[in-house]
């Protein structure tokens, strides 16, 4: 799973134009969940809600370019990776097709939290200009799955 976000922005600070360019991307190498489910069964149909802990390996990268007054400029590139923990919630249904066979479909919302990717400052003391830049990356996604189960 991979996601990207890019943008450009012109800010005005005390009447002075400041140009920023930023880009970030994340890749989820793998993820898993530890959760329970609670529901109600009618004949062959089981409807349920599910929730619990989620974890995954998230690799994130980003660049931030800043061009201030009088040619003051800075470009910063950063990368971060590792296992992140969060939470998940969703719902699903399971339908018994035969004594050992069932069909299942499930939706999950997964939130692996936020990571600060960039926190930077630019100081142009001679011209009295100071700027701070920050980039936080939230890792949130949705999954839908379906399958057939066989019980031994």
């Amino acid at each position: 799973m991979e996601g990207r976000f890019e943008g450009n922005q012109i800010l005005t600070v005390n009447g002075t134009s400041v140009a920023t360019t930023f880009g970030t991307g994340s890749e989820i190498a793998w993820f898993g969940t530890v959760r329970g489910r609670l529901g109600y069964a009618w004949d062959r149909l089981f409807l349920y809600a599910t929730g619990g802990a989620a974890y995954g390996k998230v690799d994130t990268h980003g660049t931030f370019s800043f061009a201030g007054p009088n040619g003051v400029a800075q470009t910063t590139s950063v990368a971060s990776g590792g296992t992140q923990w969060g939470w998940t919630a969703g719902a699903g249904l399971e339908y018994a097709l035969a004594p050992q066979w069932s069909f299942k479909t499930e939706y999950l919302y997964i939130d692996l939290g936020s990571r600060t990717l960039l926190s930077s400052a630019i100081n142009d003391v001679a011209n009295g200009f100071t700027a701070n830049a920050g980039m936080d990356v939230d890792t949130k996604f949705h999954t839908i799955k379906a399958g057939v189960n066989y019980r031994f």
Side-chain angles (χ1 to χ4, degrees):
M1 240 181 278
E2 189 171 327
R4 297 186 189 282
F5 181 75
E6 297 179 0
N8 295 302
Q9 188 172 14
I10 301 294
L11 305 172
T12 303
V13 181
N14 295 332
T16 304
S17 291
V18 179
T20 61
T21 303
F22 54 90
T24 185
S26 288
E27 181 178 323
I28 300 167
W30 51 263
F31 75 95
T33 63
V34 178
R35 57 197 161 91
R37 58 185 191 168
L38 179 65
Y40 190 79
W42 291 276
D43 191 29
R44 299 175 149 223
L45 178 66
F46 177 53
L47 296 174
Y48 63 89
T50 184
Y55 55 93
K57 182 175 185 311
V58 181
D59 296 317
T60 305
H61 54 86
T63 58
F64 185 84
S65 298
F66 180 88
N70 301 320
V72 176
Q74 179 175 334
T75 299
T76 304
S77 295
V78 290
S80 178
T83 302
Q84 290 181 220
W85 283 85
W87 61 274
T88 184
L93 66 86
E94 192 166 348
Y95 184 79
L97 301 169
Q100 285 91 13
W101 292 92
S102 67
F103 168 79
K104 177 180 174 180
T105 186
E106 182 176 79
Y107 162 80
L108 288 177
Y109 173 78
I110 299 170
D111 183 340
L112 294 179
S114 179
R115 174 178 281 165
T116 298
L117 189 59
L118 171 68
S119 183
S120 182
I122 296 174
N123 294 308
D124 181 3
V125 179
N127 295 303
F129 180 80
T130 301
N132 294 309
M135 187 181 295
D136 293 334
V137 178
D138 293 332
T139 304
K140 300 173 185 176
F141 57 98
H142 306 266
T143 66
I144 296 176
K145 58 184 173 181
V148 176
N149 299 319
Y150 180 78
R151 291 177 184 79
F152 295 96

